[in-house]
Amino acid sequence: MGVALTKSAQWTTAAGFGTGTLEITPLNEGILKEIIMFVESFIYKHPQEAKYVFVEPLEWKTNLDPSAFESGYVVSATTVKSEEVDKNGQPLLFLSVPQIKIRSFGQLSCLLFIAKDTKLKEAQACIEANRNPVAKILGMDYNTMKEDPSILNILDKITKEDDPESEVKMKMAMLLEELDLHLLNYSLKHASLEIHLNPVTIKKDIELLKHFSGQGEQTVLESIEYTSDYEFSNGCRAPPWRQLHGEICYVLVKPHDVETLCITCCAEGVFLNGGKTDDEGEINYERKGAIYKDLVTFLKHKSAKFSENMSKQVSTRLTEEQQKVKDQPKKAPKKKEADALHKSITSSNKSKLENNQINFGKNQMTKRLEPSVNWKTDVDFKVISVRDTQEKKHGGRPEKSTPPVSPGRAQLVHKNADKTEEIPSESSSESEEDEEPPDHRQEANADLPSEYWQIQKLVKYLKGGNQTATVIALCSMRDFNLAQETCQLAIRDVGGLEVLINLLDTDEVKCKIGSLKILKEISYNPQIRRNIVDLGGLPVMVNILDSPHKILKCLAAETIANVAKFRRARRVVRHHGGITKLVALLDCAQNSTEPAQASLYDERDVEVARCGALALWSCSKSYANKEAIRKAGGIPLLAQLLKTSHENMLIPVVGTLQECASEESYRAAIKAERIIENLVKNLNSENEQLQEHCAMAIYQCAEDEETRDLVRLHGGLKPLASLLNKTDNKERLAAVTGAIWKCSISKENVTKFREYRAIETLVGLLTDQPEEVLVNVVGALGECCQEYENRVLVRKCGGIQPLVNLLVGINQALLVNVTKAVGACAVEPESMVIIDRLDGVRLLWSLLKNPHPDVKASAAWALCPCIQNAKDAGEMVRSFVGGLELVVNLLKSDNKEVLASVCAVITNIAKDQENLAVITDHGVVPLLSKLANTNNDKLRQHLAEAISRCCMWGRNKVAFGEHKAVAPLVRYLKSNDTNVHRATAQALYQLSEDANNCITMHENGAVKLLLDMVGSPDQDLQEAAAGCISNIRRLALATEKARYP
Amino acid sequence: HLCTSLKKDSQFWYLYSCFMVKKSEVECLIRLFHSLVERDDVRLHNNVLDRNTFRATLHNLFGMTDDMLMKRVFFAFDKNDNCMNVKEWIKGLSVFLRGTFEEKLKFCFKVYYLNSDGYISREEIFDMLKNSLHQQSSEKETDGGIEELVEKMLKKMDYDNDGKISFAVFEKAVKEETLLLEVFGQCLPEAKVQCQQPKLVEKTF
């Protein structure tokens, strides 16, 4: 009992010094009640011990009147004596108003019965007056307030004393010890139940309440504010000397139905204090009421209105959530997670939750979202639900705080969804931004920037103001830094996007202008773009394109240009007829026929066209839009605009053209509309972006031979060559090198480039450039090196080493070009020496293992000149362990280009007898024979060459016949390709040395076909055909001779 | 016949040359003026328009709704005698309909400052914006909102921090952001009306 009273009971501050009082706290009350129960039942449970006389009486001031005592007491006006007396005849209870002395548990029990309703007070007074009751009951030796008050100690004392009382005393001690333990347990339990408040939770509560405070019937409070603005670093606002008592801060709360309350928030809980004194503004810190566990509970008790509105808030949120969940169950897969939040709140749709639940497995939020009767959790939940409501409104995306796996997963899901919605044929040029970026919103608990609240207010004025107020709010909103993500997201998060989009639907020109000006700025943010599309902003903007006000046209087009950066948006624009309208904007001439208006908000027609082009540029990244632009007659208009000299205009125009030039129809139109001329002209512009787009457009178009010639004729090669020297802007460099690559497919162009010394520059660009540039540079060199002079030039400039170095890359496009370039260089024996020395052949050979067929084929083609020109090629080839087997096995490929190139490699390998023997062992003959049935002329040619080479070994000639390669070969002679004829005739000539083959040929009508070939101007063909015929003829003669000797 | 007599008047040619209004349009406006005057009580007014008729015209033709502002527009049209003669009418409407940006700027400023001290004061702004917010909840809250709008505009325009807006400051702000021209209330015809104006006047007549 003693320990419990000293350690657990909560004494007022003065407790340490003299007569303290017990505070009225739930804990103290509990302890007192436990003690009372103990004392009351004492007389029944332990009648023997109840008679035990205390060593010293328990003495305190009672409020009981002597008249309350009845039978068993001697009552006078001011005194009461119990009839029960000790052995010395002293009464066990003696009351002399107001002092009372009691010396046994029996009397204590009786007193409590008499006290009835006031027994708690009496018990408290008793405990307060007797700070160490055990010592008084059992004597000072049992002072439990001393150190080490162990039960053993007490028992020890008792057993030493031998008087008859000792047994009773021992029992007493045991009982008191039991009580003490019980009380300690009780207070422990209580302590663990109690939620200790800390500055953070209190701050959160107050901020939340503030959010729902204000004028009006719906708010929970009229106002709530701190008494002090200063916050100490520990989060407390109470002055330091009060913080010692665990006090955190003081708040003035004005509920709707009660006077202003001055409240102390301390670690133990929340209570009403003495209020703010009027004169000095000081707070009377004294507690004036019960302690509540938190602010919300406190206010619920104090204000009925608060409690009513608070539950309303919760329920309206809940119904809102549920409604929304119902309304849009599967609107977008991404929303599933947000829905999951609500579902887990309502905790109804457990089954539907299952697939989402997994995301929340490690999420601390689930814990907070578990339904609970506890108000504390309700408050937390409310924080979330408020955020969620906003999120739902604004497109409903999962919070940032969802587990890290979910954005990726959501992304995947959404991508799939996008794919299914999307028409399959989207242009390859749309690469950027087709991924949905993971949406992130400010976290529920994150501190919101001040802009957030200001913007929220402005949005309120937008909603509730007339035209004038709306314009003012719009202008004020534009004063924020709209390029800043915080502001962009704030506008969205407070519901501003809906309002702005709604304004576009009104008749108010000024409001539309203001709204579009804001939308234009914030739509630079990818998330906002998606939100705008989700809210149906695009169709409205498309409609505005028809407006008679040019500024509206401009702004709408510019905003569309920003928004249509992703596929779904571009599709929406197209489906609402936006492309046609945008194309119409390009027609300056048509616009200028309208009567000139002295409208305040007018802009020049050129500006309208520019904005139109800007929007088309964004839209033109989708294949279907390219088609739509063409069908709407966009190309002649773009061509027309290309003649202007406004750079601002030219960039989007050329950008659109460049984007569209990926389509054959555009390339033809570009040629027809004489656009190349202007593209070339603008290569000379000062603007880097313009140069880049022009070069890019040329790159796209120069696949066409006529276009390449046009570029040259209009003098485009020189500016391209000179732009090669400007390497700082990598995008432009990539475009320029691309244009050079494609242009150098024409021999005349290559000659020009050599003249402009572009080849040297290209070689210089082989190192330290990004891959996009390297691909084009190497591609260009590959084309240039088809000519002898350039091969020499590249070698002399030291280009071979960097080229060979690039053979180890992984970029497919780059490898295709590099192998081609190396192959082209290898034609030159001198260069070949260098390549060989750098181990280039081995690198090429290993690229035969590359998974991409293009790389395989290109590497194989490059190997041919290498083998041809290497010194001691046979030895070199043999040195590649497993190399020959690899090549032979490539004949099993199903890619025609790979097969043709490998056949060519085999032709070259087979020139060496030893190697031919090896590949024969690896089964080259059956594999080649298998390929014979093909219509591909390229493959036919190289296959025939390979067969003819492979006939040079052992009984391969016979083997080809056995594998039925001869008959298909004969059919090759019917092809239209002379190269095929020559190679086939040579192969047949080789094969005709075997009699059976001759018979097969004859049977398949080879003789007649070969006779035609003999008349060919191609000498090799003539010879081979003649040789073959002679072999067949010889066999026939021999047979005749044998038959008719 | 009035037109023909007016045409001889030097004033007509003055107007014609000064305000860049098309000849036909001036004629049109004059006819409109006289039809309005005739509709009015002729005995009381001698070829002048009173405020009520003018206000009705502003409302019917130009879609203006704010009574107080229409009053202000009247005073901006009218010199000082509380009634509008044909010269004032045409001069005003020429700005109203075909005014250059500068003219409209001056006109709007004139409408907005009432006590003719050359400045728009905080109180005047408050007065003009008084009805711009729909009564959402309590009057107090709405007033608070308007107060804030006033504050925002002063912050935006009052570059010299004297709590009032001079013409120079107004001009600067509007040139930066054209939307601010009618910042304290609509005092020019709606943009869509402006476009159709010639036809509309013709039709009304």
Side-chain angles (χ1 to χ4, degrees):
Chain A
M1 185 176 179
V3 180
L5 284 178
T6 44
K7 298 268 164 76
S8 298
Q10 294 153 320
W11 297 92
T12 53
T13 48
F17 322 96
T19 56
T21 53
L22 274 175
E23 288 192 272
I24 307 171
T25 65
L27 174 62
N28 285 351
E29 228 171 83
I31 290 176
L32 283 174
K33 277 183 183 153
E34 289 297 311
I35 293 174
I36 290 167
M37 255 162 65
F38 172 80
V39 175
E40 276 179 345
S41 59
F42 201 93
I43 198 163
Y44 313 117
K45 285 184 180 163
H46 318 283
Q48 209 57 43
E49 285 78 10
K51 287 178 189 143
Y52 168 80
V53 180
F54 299 163
V55 175
E56 268 181 74
L58 296 176
E59 199 174 333
W60 71 91
K61 280 182 188 160
T62 179
N63 288 326
L64 290 175
D65 201 67
S67 58
F69 293 87
E70 286 161 25
S71 60
Y73 294 97
V74 181
V75 184
S76 76
T78 54
T79 60
V80 176
K81 278 183 199 166
S82 66
E83 285 174 3
E84 201 182 356
V85 291
D86 66 3
K87 51 191 175 190
N88 304 325
Q90 292 291 318
L92 292 179
L93 182 147
F94 179 77
L95 170 70
S96 161
V97 177
Q99 213 62 21
I100 189 167
K101 289 180 189 171
I102 291 183
R103 295 173 60 197
S104 79
F105 268 110
Q107 286 302 325
L108 272 176
S109 294
C110 291
L111 181 90
L112 287 178
F113 283 124
I114 292 160
K116 286 186 185 113
D117 294 340
T118 56
K119 56 181 143 184
L120 200 68
K121 271 194 178 159
E122 289 305 317
Q124 189 184 346
C126 171
I127 300 287
E128 277 170 10
N130 303 283
R131 295 295 297 275
N132 192 358
V134 181
K136 285 197 170 167
I137 294 167
L138 298 176
M140 278 311 277
D141 287 337
Y142 306 99
N143 186 353
T144 48
M145 280 177 102
K146 278 188 194 164
E147 275 152 324
D148 191 22
S150 69
I151 190 152
L152 275 172
N153 211 353
I154 298 171
L155 290 177
D156 202 22
K157 288 265 189 281
I158 293 166
T159 41
K160 269 181 199 163
E161 293 172 54
D162 237 342
D163 67 55
E165 254 181 40
S166 65
E167 207 184 281
V168 182
K169 209 168 177 179
M170 190 174 90
K171 265 196 167 176
M172 272 312 287
M174 301 270 282
L175 286 170
L176 288 174
E177 202 60 36
E178 249 175 57
L179 172 65
D180 200 5
L181 215 67
H182 176 75
L183 289 180
L184 274 175
N185 275 338
Y186 175 83
S187 57
L188 253 178
K189 248 187 252 162
H190 187 90
S192 62
L193 277 176
E194 189 179 45
I195 300 157
H196 268 268
L197 297 179
N198 62 44
V200 180
T201 53
I202 286 180
K203 194 175 175 182
K204 249 166 63 186
D205 282 5
I206 291 174
E207 255 160 31
L208 181 75
L209 289 173
K210 251 189 195 159
H211 195 70
F212 291 105
S213 297
Q215 297 295 330
E217 285 302 293
Q218 292 310 307
T219 58
V220 293
L221 294 169
E222 257 179 59
S223 70
I224 173 165
E225 51 197 20
Y226 293 108
T227 53
S228 153
D229 287 331
Y230 184 74
E231 187 179 331
F232 289 86
S233 56
N234 58 4
C236 294
R237 285 167 198 260
W241 67 92
R242 296 302 301 177
Q243 281 184 37
L244 283 178
H245 306 306
E247 296 188 0
I248 294 163
C249 62
Y250 312 96
V251 248
L252 288 169
V253 179
K254 175 75 185 83
H256 286 295
D257 47 351
V258 195
E259 277 310 300
T260 304
L261 306 164
C262 191
I263 300 165
T264 300
C265 300
C266 64
E268 281 81 15
V270 175
F271 58 81
L272 190 67
N273 59 34
K276 229 175 171 174
T277 48
D278 289 336
D279 41 359
E280 290 151 30
E282 282 276 56
I283 292 164
N284 180 356
Y285 296 115
E286 210 180 312
R287 185 154 66 84
K288 294 284 190 229
I291 295 181
Y292 294 88
K293 69 182 166 67
D294 63 33
L295 201 55
V296 174
T297 325
F298 175 89
L299 289 168
K300 277 185 107 182
H301 278 90
K302 294 287 176 196
S303 158
K305 189 85 190 163
F306 172 85
S307 140
E308 183 193 324
N309 283 355
M310 198 71 182
S311 46
K312 244 191 246 163
Q313 292 275 11
V314 172
S315 63
T316 48
R317 299 288 169 202
L318 266 177
T319 46
E320 257 176 61
E321 305 312 322
Q322 282 166 331
Q323 194 55 45
K324 285 204 174 116
V325 171
K326 274 181 213 156
D327 283 348
Q328 25 182 258
K330 271 171 192 167
K331 195 167 176 190
K334 267 196 103 168
K335 287 187 181 158
K336 267 194 169 176
E337 295 189 10
D339 286 354
L341 262 172
H342 306 299
K343 282 176 192 159
S344 62
I345 290 166
T346 53
S347 74
S348 54
N349 270 331
K350 280 263 165 71
S351 58
K352 275 191 193 170
L353 251 174
E354 273 165 11
N355 56 339
N356 304 311
Q357 200 96 59
I358 203 155
N359 291 323
F360 288 86
K362 284 169 193 160
N363 192 350
Q364 50 158 1
M365 261 162 63
T366 29
K367 216 170 88 192
R368 290 159 77 194
L369 291 174
E370 270 161 14
S372 159
V373 286
N374 193 335
W375 244 95
K376 189 89 183 115
T377 32
D378 279 356
V379 172
D380 278 353
F381 140 61
K382 252 178 67 61
V383 176
I384 297 157
S385 92
V386 171
R387 305 283 319 162
D388 278 351
T389 325
Q390 284 172 353
E391 256 148 47
K392 284 257 78 166
K393 275 190 206 151
H394 312 316
R397 295 282 156 80
E399 283 196 352
K400 199 181 186 178
S401 55
T402 46
V405 290
S406 67
R409 178 187 155 275
Q411 215 174 64
L412 276 177
V413 171
H414 202 98
K415 258 171 99 183
N416 292 340
D418 226 351
K419 263 182 206 156
T420 51
E421 305 169 15
E422 188 61 34
I423 301 162
S425 56
E426 284 290 356
S427 148
S428 59
S429 59
E430 50 181 324
S431 51
E432 97 269 31
E433 253 209 71
D434 278 321
E435 313 278 310
E436 299 261 347
D439 212 348
H440 63 91
R441 311 209 164 223
Q442 280 115 337
E443 279 182 58
N445 293 331
D447 281 334
L448 293 166
S450 65
E451 290 97 334
Y452 188 92
W453 305 113
Q454 293 170 27
I455 288 175
Q456 189 174 40
K457 266 200 179 151
L458 288 177
V459 169
K460 212 171 88 187
Y461 299 142
L462 281 187
K463 284 180 188 162
N466 69 0
Q467 196 206 54
T468 308
T470 306
V471 169
I472 292 178
L474 288 171
C475 290
S476 304
M477 205 179 269
R478 290 197 62 213
D479 287 342
F480 285 95
N481 181 4
L482 293 178
Q484 203 183 326
E485 197 178 29
T486 334
C487 294
Q488 294 165 347
L489 297 185
I491 291 178
R492 175 190 67 182
D493 291 347
V494 301
L497 279 184
E498 288 95 328
V499 186
L500 289 174
I501 290 171
N502 278 344
L503 281 176
L504 297 183
D505 253 339
T506 62
D507 279 340
E508 300 293 348
V509 178
K510 276 180 288 180
C511 297
K512 284 192 205 176
I513 293 173
S515 164
L516 278 173
K517 277 181 173 174
I518 292 166
L519 286 172
K520 183 181 103 180
E521 294 299 324
I522 61 175
S523 56
Y524 280 104
N525 182 317
Q527 298 179 49
I528 301 284
R529 284 173 202 157
R530 283 168 202 284
N531 298 136
I532 291 177
V533 176
D534 291 339
L535 292 168
L538 275 178
V540 196
M541 290 183 214
V542 167
N543 286 338
I544 290 179
L545 294 175
D546 285 336
S547 156
H549 297 280
K550 286 171 197 154
I551 187 171
L552 277 179
K553 285 184 190 180
C554 282
L555 287 169
E558 275 183 289
T559 316
I560 290 174
N562 282 343
V563 175
K565 289 268 161 64
F566 64 105
R567 218 187 276 174
R568 193 156 49 94
R570 292 195 280 266
R571 196 179 55 236
V572 174
V573 174
R574 182 175 69 248
H575 286 177
H576 288 85
I579 301 293
T580 324
K581 289 178 185 177
L582 287 170
V583 168
L585 294 190
L586 297 181
D587 198 350
C588 289
Q590 185 212 318
N591 285 342
S592 59
T593 57
E594 282 174 13
Q597 286 299 324
S599 170
L600 279 171
Y601 310 109
D602 260 357
E603 309 236 348
R604 290 174 310 159
D605 294 314
V606 183
E607 182 63 12
V608 178
R610 184 190 75 85
C611 297
L614 213 53
L616 283 177
W617 186 12
S618 291
C619 290
S620 65
K621 289 193 169 66
S622 293
Y623 167 75
N625 282 346
K626 292 177 196 184
E627 261 319 283
I629 295 172
R630 196 177 57 84
K631 283 186 183 146
I635 303 176
L637 291 171
L638 286 170
Q640 190 64 31
L641 291 176
L642 204 53
K643 289 175 187 155
T644 65
S645 52
H646 308 283
E647 258 172 26
N648 287 342
M649 171 75 89
L650 287 169
I651 291 172
V653 168
V654 178
T656 312
L657 283 172
Q658 164 244 306
E659 208 56 71
C660 293
S662 62
E663 302 308 312
E664 178 55 45
S665 52
Y666 269 91
R667 292 199 288 268
I670 285 171
K671 204 162 60 182
E673 299 279 349
R674 305 164 58 83
I675 286 174
I676 298 292
E677 186 181 342
N678 286 306
L679 289 177
V680 168
K681 193 182 83 194
N682 288 313
L683 273 180
N684 292 314
S685 142
E686 288 296 304
N687 185 303
E688 294 190 7
Q689 214 188 346
L690 185 53
Q691 290 169 339
E692 177 195 332
H693 292 310
C694 285
M696 199 65 194
I698 292 173
Y699 164 66
Q700 299 261 27
C701 295
E703 292 275 3
D704 175 79
E705 192 180 348
E706 213 177 314
T707 307
R708 291 197 292 267
D709 292 339
L710 282 173
V711 174
R712 184 181 65 251
L713 292 175
H714 291 301
L717 300 180
K718 192 166 189 179
L720 282 175
S722 64
L723 282 174
L724 262 190
N725 294 312
K726 298 177 183 164
T727 58
D728 45 335
N729 181 335
K730 296 302 174 196
E731 280 86 26
R732 183 183 57 180
L733 188 59
V736 167
T737 49
I740 290 178
W741 171 20
K742 293 301 175 186
C743 285
S744 58
I745 296 173
S746 292
K747 289 235 177 327
E748 295 90 337
N749 291 352
V750 175
T751 316
K752 283 280 178 194
F753 282 134
R754 193 168 61 235
E755 206 174 287
Y756 300 135
R757 312 187 70 77
I759 298 180
E760 291 90 329
T761 323
L762 283 171
V763 170
L765 291 173
L766 281 173
T767 44
D768 299 329
Q769 295 298 333
E771 273 183 355
E772 305 83 67
V773 175
L774 282 176
V775 171
N776 296 338
V777 169
V778 174
L781 285 175
E783 294 300 336
C784 292
C785 287
Q786 304 299 323
E787 280 182 42
Y788 169 75
E789 292 97 325
N790 296 336
R791 289 197 287 266
V792 174
L793 207 53
V794 168
R795 186 181 69 239
K796 283 186 177 161
C797 296
I800 294 183
Q801 168 117 40
L803 278 174
V804 171
N805 288 348
L806 287 173
L807 284 172
V808 293
I810 47 163
N811 181 319
Q812 189 195 340
L814 182 56
L815 283 176
V816 170
N817 285 355
V818 172
T819 46
K820 185 175 181 185
V822 171
C825 290
V827 174
E828 220 57 46
E830 264 182 85
S831 305
M832 189 53 222
V833 173
I834 304 173
I835 294 172
D836 199 12
R837 199 181 61 223
L838 294 168
D839 219 6
V841 185
R842 182 187 299 277
L843 292 172
L844 279 174
W845 208 289
S846 60
L847 284 175
L848 293 176
K849 290 185 240 172
N850 192 288
H852 298 290
D854 292 351
V855 178
K856 272 183 199 161
S858 185
W861 288 122
L863 278 173
C864 298
C866 290
I867 300 170
Q868 270 167 21
N869 294 307
K871 270 187 206 159
D872 215 356
E875 192 52 47
M876 178 188 75
V877 170
R878 274 192 295 281
S879 72
F880 304 134
V881 179
L884 289 174
E885 192 179 1
L886 173 68
V887 171
V888 172
N889 282 332
L890 278 176
L891 288 173
K892 294 170 187 164
S893 163
D894 43 14
N895 182 301
K896 292 278 186 295
E897 187 68 19
V898 172
L899 290 174
S901 62
V902 170
C903 284
V905 174
I906 287 176
T907 311
N908 284 296
I909 292 172
K911 285 175 188 163
D912 181 272
Q913 285 292 307
E914 216 173 306
N915 289 336
L916 178 54
V918 176
I919 58 173
T920 306
D921 287 349
H922 285 309
V924 75
V925 174
L927 284 169
L928 286 175
S929 306
K930 225 184 215 172
L931 297 174
N933 276 311
T934 177
N935 295 322
N936 184 311
D937 275 343
K938 194 171 186 183
L939 177 54
R940 280 173 165 185
Q941 180 197 338
H942 293 285
L943 180 62
E945 281 172 6
I947 290 176
S948 104
R949 275 288 168 192
C950 291
C951 284
M952 310 284 194
W953 180 254
R955 57 180 301 277
N956 279 0
K957 292 182 184 102
V958 184
F960 279 119
E962 285 164 4
H963 286 99
K964 302 192 171 25
V966 179
L969 272 178
V970 174
R971 284 198 294 278
Y972 290 6
L973 294 174
K974 292 174 188 164
S975 154
N976 296 322
D977 191 335
T978 334
N979 290 327
V980 177
H981 293 165
R982 185 173 54 242
T984 311
Q986 282 166 337
L988 288 177
Y989 173 57
Q990 292 295 332
L991 289 168
S992 64
E993 283 175 21
D994 175 67
N996 283 327
N997 289 346
C998 286
I999 295 166
T1000 317
M1001 285 178 219
H1002 190 262
E1003 279 168 0
N1004 284 283
V1007 178
K1008 188 179 175 300
L1009 292 165
L1010 285 169
L1011 277 173
D1012 293 341
M1013 303 290 163
V1014 176
S1016 158
D1018 187 319
Q1019 214 172 350
D1020 292 339
L1021 176 54
Q1022 267 179 19
E1023 257 175 53
C1028 188
I1029 293 170
S1030 92
N1031 279 341
I1032 295 170
R1033 181 72 199 137
R1034 220 172 282 150
L1035 178 73
L1037 284 173
T1039 327
E1040 244 166 74
K1041 242 182 214 170
R1043 208 174 285 170
Y1044 316 103
Chain B
H1 64 281
L2 265 164
C3 288
T4 40
S5 67
L6 250 165
K7 257 186 203 170
K8 286 168 195 155
D9 191 349
S10 60
Q11 228 176 52
F12 174 85
W13 297 107
Y14 166 74
L15 287 171
Y16 181 46
S17 55
C18 280
F19 301 119
M20 314 286 283
V21 188
K22 281 187 207 150
K23 205 167 102 186
S24 62
E25 283 177 355
V26 175
E27 284 174 14
C28 201
L29 290 175
I30 292 167
R31 280 201 293 269
L32 180 63
F33 179 81
H34 288 291
S35 74
L36 289 171
V37 170
E38 275 159 30
R39 242 180 264 168
D40 218 12
D41 200 336
V42 191
R43 286 166 300 171
L44 285 176
H45 305 283
N46 183 21
N47 269 346
V48 287
L49 276 181
D50 72 348
R51 222 161 70 198
N52 284 333
T53 321
F54 182 69
R55 199 168 57 189
T57 315
L58 282 183
H59 181 76
N60 294 335
L61 282 183
F62 306 122
M64 292 176 68
T65 46
D66 191 330
D67 265 359
M68 192 185 62
L69 271 169
M70 286 194 273
K71 196 173 96 189
R72 283 163 176 263
V73 169
F74 179 83
F75 287 123
F77 270 55
D78 179 51
K79 282 244 158 32
N80 43 22
D81 53 356
N82 249 339
C83 52
M84 195 179 291
N85 60 31
V86 70
K87 191 179 161 190
E88 284 166 345
W89 163 258
I90 294 192
K91 194 177 165 188
L93 279 185
S94 69
V95 173
F96 215 59
L97 297 172
R98 295 281 177 269
T100 62
F101 182 72
E102 302 286 334
E103 283 169 336
K104 286 182 179 175
L105 191 67
K106 279 182 194 141
F107 176 77
C108 288
F109 190 74
K110 203 170 164 189
V111 172
Y112 292 146
Y113 80 83
L114 196 59
N115 57 8
S116 59
D117 60 353
Y119 290 98
I120 308 175
S121 67
R122 179 190 294 270
E123 292 71 31
E124 281 175 301
I125 299 175
F126 187 88
D127 230 31
M128 288 186 281
L129 296 183
K130 196 161 59 185
N131 297 319
S132 65
L133 286 183
H134 302 306
Q135 300 283 329
Q136 292 154 319
S137 44
S138 68
E139 199 167 309
K140 197 176 150 200
E141 201 178 323
T142 311
D143 276 3
I146 292 168
E147 195 62 60
E148 197 177 346
L149 289 179
V150 173
E151 211 50 57
K152 281 203 180 299
M153 279 303 105
L154 275 177
K155 205 172 140 197
K156 202 177 166 69
M157 299 222 237
D158 186 13
Y159 300 107
D160 43 5
N161 274 323
D162 55 0
K164 50 193 183 178
I165 298 170
S166 68
F167 179 72
V169 159
F170 184 72
E171 186 181 21
K172 189 177 167 202
V174 174
K175 279 187 175 164
E176 251 168 48
E177 172 56 87
T178 337
L179 286 180
L180 291 176
L181 182 63
E182 293 177 77
V183 65
F184 302 126
Q186 189 202 347
C187 54
L188 289 171
E190 281 174 36
K192 62 171 185 206
V193 182
Q194 223 168 342
C195 287
Q196 317 155 340
Q197 200 48 51
K199 283 177 218 156
L200 196 86
V201 173
E202 211 70 70
K203 206 171 72 192
T204 318
F205 183 70

